[in-house]
Amino acid sequence: EQSSFEIVVENVEGDEGVEVTSVYAKKDMPKGSYIMPSDLAASFTIAEYTHESLKANTDIKNTGDVSVIENFLAYVEKHGHKTISDGRK
């Protein structure tokens, strides 16, 4: 299957034996889009408390622009679902 992503592994200059792995989109993505780990792997899981913490962060006043968090939560609301994996809530 052809992927829309390219994975590049590079050596860190000056740090022998240290590598950095990067993921690049092969084509332009619309502004506001997300590369979800589920596009790169079998699944993506976010713990309920992390999800709730993100929601709570959007309610704190005078902390600056939280639109990225709000957009991510809207994306999760639209495309996400509760896990059906054993041993997870």
Side-chain angles (χ1 to χ4, degrees):
E1 179 180 337
Q2 290 286 333
S3 175
S4 298
F5 305 103
E6 177 181 3
I7 299 173
V8 177
V9 179
E10 300 172 297
N11 292 317
V12 175
E13 192 173 322
D15 257 339
E16 189 174 326
V18 177
E19 296 179 334
V20 173
T21 303
S22 303
V23 178
Y24 298 95
K26 289 183 177 178
K27 54 187 172 183
D28 289 337
M29 296 172 28
K31 184 177 181 176
S33 295
Y34 295 93
I35 299 175
M36 297 301 294
S38 59
D39 293 326
L40 304 173
S43 64
F44 171 72
T45 303
I46 183 171
E48 184 69 26
Y49 69 86
T50 302
H51 186 257
E52 293 303 320
S53 292
L54 288 170
K55 283 187 196 177
N57 286 341
T58 64
D59 293 333
I60 300 172
K61 303 297 181 212
N62 301 318
T63 58
D65 187 10
V66 293
S67 63
V68 171
I69 297 172
E70 291 170 335
N71 291 343
F72 177 74
L73 290 171
Y75 183 91
V76 170
E77 184 68 30
K78 182 176 180 181
H79 300 286
H81 60 83
K82 295 265 186 192
T83 184
I84 56 173
S85 299
D86 290 338
R88 303 283 308 200
K89 290 184 177 183

